[in-house]
Amino acid sequence: MATTPLPATPRTGPPPARSVLRDTAFLRLWAGTTASGLATWALPFVLGLAVLHRELGAAGLGLVLAARTAGFLVAVAVGGVLADRHSRRAVVLWSALAAAVAAPLLALGLGRSLVLMTLAATLAGAGQGACRPAFQALTAEVVAADRRQQANAAMTVAVRASTLAGPTLTALLAAFVDVGTLLLGIGLLWLVAALLPGRGAAAPAPGAAAAPRASLRAEFVDGIREARRHPWFLAGLGALTAVIALGYSATSVALPLISRDRYGTEWVLAAAMTAYTVGALGGALVAARRRPRSPGWSAFAGLAVYGFAPLSLMLPVHPAVVIAAYVVAGAGIELFNVPWFTATQREVAPDKLARVSSLDFLLSYGLAPLGLALIAPAIDAFGVTPVLAVCAAACFLLPAAAALVPTARHFGRTPGPRAR
């Protein structure tokens, strides 16, 4: 007996997620973050041009860059507390304005007053440092939880693209304008970073403004307590800090030496650094869409492959092998960074996110100069190959050990993502 088939019930489901690149609020934040990253990268390069033009001595350059680092390290901790205590947008505004004011002061002191340049560099570093945790927390306010991985990848792509194109652009501009004008251009970039981002969606809890505030130190310690609640975060931060302080520092010192002594050319140095940035761009693009079943383990594997960079410098291999190792290392570092930032924004209490992010920047960036300072004497004392061997082993083993920590497999207490 024939029957009339029932009409098919249309399948309904959630609408496809709108791309984060079509979100005006995120695009404004992305442009501001990109401007700040480009300004941060450009300052040491432009000051290096000042040394070439004999407007600044080598010792003066070291002092100015050290002052900027000191300002960064102090402000990144204070900025994390302020960004959790006040509006993240306001912290971005005032810190970026401080860095913008520092740029013309640097130009004014160039060739005239090293003291003024040192003070201005400290202010520039403070503005840069206070911006970082505020931008990180503001991303969590502007972007919905299900699109943050894509947003963090877009941020990374912008920074890496600026690093790739920046040297050529700055060199071209230097052919037409002087160093002082380039410094003023850096100030304009900081103005863009200050004024372009919009407000976040989050609002303070009712009555929070009336509650008595603890001291900056007490609130910073409270951020440390929040970080300690997440074993995966502490393990990941330890592994990341070690890879940067040992692996990245070792390759930064050893690569120029090996490029000169083993290969007899500067081309290997330039090609390897370019390959690292190209690999990082590719890694960020992959991380934007990749959703592995064990995101923590996958991220730690990406971090561990940085060990191929120092490993390639240990052996008398063809330059193509060194370049390929740097492509892999760059891709791996972003396969770690993107899910790492996304998990931090998801798992950490929203009112403590900036403070926890400041710990990330404080340790991973703060210990890098110490690594650079120790690697060169170690190479002089023990030779380049043993030092690279130790650093490569640390890059491979420490992320593997971090992956064994409870909650590390999924970067969180539960296997699935938890939107906040």
Side-chain angles (χ1 to χ4, degrees):
M1 177 177 177
T3 59
T4 303
L6 295 174
T9 304
R11 294 183 179 180
T12 60
R18 182 187 180 194
S19 170
V20 74
L21 298 178
R22 299 175 62 187
D23 187 328
T24 303
F26 170 73
L27 288 177
R28 292 178 62 182
L29 178 63
W30 174 86
T33 307
T34 302
S36 74
L38 187 56
T40 298
W41 168 88
L43 183 57
F45 188 87
V46 172
L47 291 175
L49 292 177
V51 174
L52 294 178
H53 296 169
R54 301 186 185 281
E55 297 174 282
L56 182 65
L61 175 62
L63 179 61
V64 169
L65 292 180
R68 186 180 78 143
T69 301
F72 174 90
L73 293 177
V74 172
V76 75
V78 176
V81 175
L82 294 178
D84 282 338
R85 177 182 286 193
H86 304 291
S87 161
R88 276 90 185 246
R89 178 65 187 90
V91 173
V92 166
L93 172 65
W94 291 108
S95 56
L97 285 177
V101 169
L105 292 177
L106 283 166
L108 183 63
L110 190 64
R112 300 182 185 90
S113 172
L114 183 58
V115 172
L116 178 58
M117 291 194 70
T118 302
L119 294 174
T122 304
L123 181 62
Q128 173 196 343
C131 267
R132 295 303 296 268
F135 269 127
Q136 188 74 5
L138 193 57
T139 301
E141 292 184 5
V142 169
V143 181
D146 61 340
R147 295 189 293 166
R148 286 179 193 156
Q149 184 152 328
Q150 186 184 17
N152 289 319
M155 296 285 196
T156 293
V157 167
V159 171
R160 297 299 183 181
S162 298
T163 304
L164 193 62
T168 302
L169 178 61
T170 305
L172 289 174
L173 290 174
F176 300 99
V177 298
D178 57 18
V179 173
T181 303
L182 291 174
L183 289 171
L184 294 178
I186 290 174
L188 290 177
L189 286 172
W190 277 115
L191 279 178
V192 172
L195 301 177
L196 193 57
R199 293 184 177 274
R213 284 289 188 183
S215 65
L216 289 176
R217 178 183 177 279
E219 292 199 9
F220 183 74
V221 170
D222 196 30
I224 296 176
R225 292 194 192 97
E226 172 64 21
R228 292 175 60 185
R229 291 181 54 243
H230 305 280
W232 63 269
F233 179 84
L234 294 180
L237 183 55
L240 175 62
T241 301
V243 168
I244 292 177
L246 295 176
Y248 186 79
S249 297
T251 53
S252 297
V253 174
L255 178 60
L257 299 176
I258 290 173
S259 180
R260 180 196 66 192
D261 298 338
R262 181 185 299 167
Y263 300 108
T265 176
E266 297 177 355
W267 177 83
V268 176
L269 169 63
M273 297 309 297
T274 303
Y276 179 82
T277 303
V278 171
L281 277 170
L285 292 173
V286 171
R289 295 186 176 278
R290 187 166 175 262
R291 299 294 188 273
R293 293 176 61 88
S294 302
W297 284 359
S298 176
F300 282 124
L303 183 61
V305 300
Y306 191 91
F308 286 113
L311 186 63
S312 71
L313 299 179
M314 290 173 52
L315 308 172
V317 296
H318 191 276
V321 176
V322 176
I323 294 168
Y326 270 79
V327 171
V328 172
I333 206 73
E334 295 307 337
L335 289 173
F336 173 83
N337 278 339
V338 172
W340 169 258
F341 290 141
T342 305
T344 303
Q345 292 161 349
R346 182 186 70 238
E347 296 291 329
V348 171
D351 62 330
K352 299 179 179 66
L353 176 57
R355 278 169 282 178
V356 173
S357 296
S358 73
L359 285 174
D360 182 352
F361 297 124
L362 185 63
L363 291 179
S364 59
Y365 283 84
L367 292 182
L370 179 61
L372 287 169
L374 295 177
I375 289 296
I379 289 176
D380 290 338
F382 304 105
V384 65
T385 299
V387 170
L388 287 173
V390 171
C391 292
C395 290
F396 287 128
L397 296 176
L398 292 178
L404 300 178
V405 170
T407 72
R409 178 175 181 176
H410 299 287
F411 272 168
R413 290 184 296 273
T414 57
R418 263 200 341 269
R420 285 184 178 271

